[in-house]
Amino acid sequence: AGADRRLQVLDPRAGFEVQRTLEGHKDFIYSLIVAGDVALSGGGDGMVLAHHVPSGRLLWGLGANKAAVRCLAATDTCLVTSGDDGNAILYDFP
């Protein structure tokens, strides 16, 4: 993850070969967490994207912050984002 705006899923059992590439960010990727089968990534444009890791499918995007999303945390019921705009925001999952 990083300046190329892509996430790559690697398999350590296969010599860290790229298994799939997750795309959709329009700016650098600054933060990343994995919660179960979902990769949550925060971009320089304030967007958080959720990808289903096994399939590579983009599940949803969220305009989370007004500037780069630098930190993410998640539980089964909520997502917390914080970034360069100075805000920390809590989102409830349904």
Side-chain angles (χ1 to χ4, degrees):
D4 64 359
R5 302 182 311 257
R6 300 179 302 155
L7 300 172
Q8 292 189 318
V9 179
L10 309 177
D11 185 350
R13 298 166 296 182
F16 292 95
E17 181 178 308
V18 176
Q19 300 300 302
R20 66 192 46 77
T21 299
L22 311 178
E23 298 182 302
H25 276 286
K26 305 290 186 229
D27 202 341
F28 293 177
I29 299 169
Y30 287 100
S31 53
L32 171 68
I33 61 170
V34 177
D37 286 345
V38 178
L40 298 159
S41 53
D45 58 358
M47 290 294 294
V48 172
L49 299 184
H51 286 89
H52 183 249
V53 175
S55 69
R57 185 171 48 101
L58 177 63
L59 299 174
W60 49 264
L62 173 67
N65 292 76
K66 294 179 182 175
V69 179
R70 300 288 183 163
C71 186
L72 297 167
T75 69
D76 291 340
T77 60
C78 70
L79 169 67
V80 180
T81 69
S82 65
D84 287 352
D85 62 2
N87 293 312
I89 303 170
L90 173 70
Y91 297 94
D92 290 326
F93 289 140

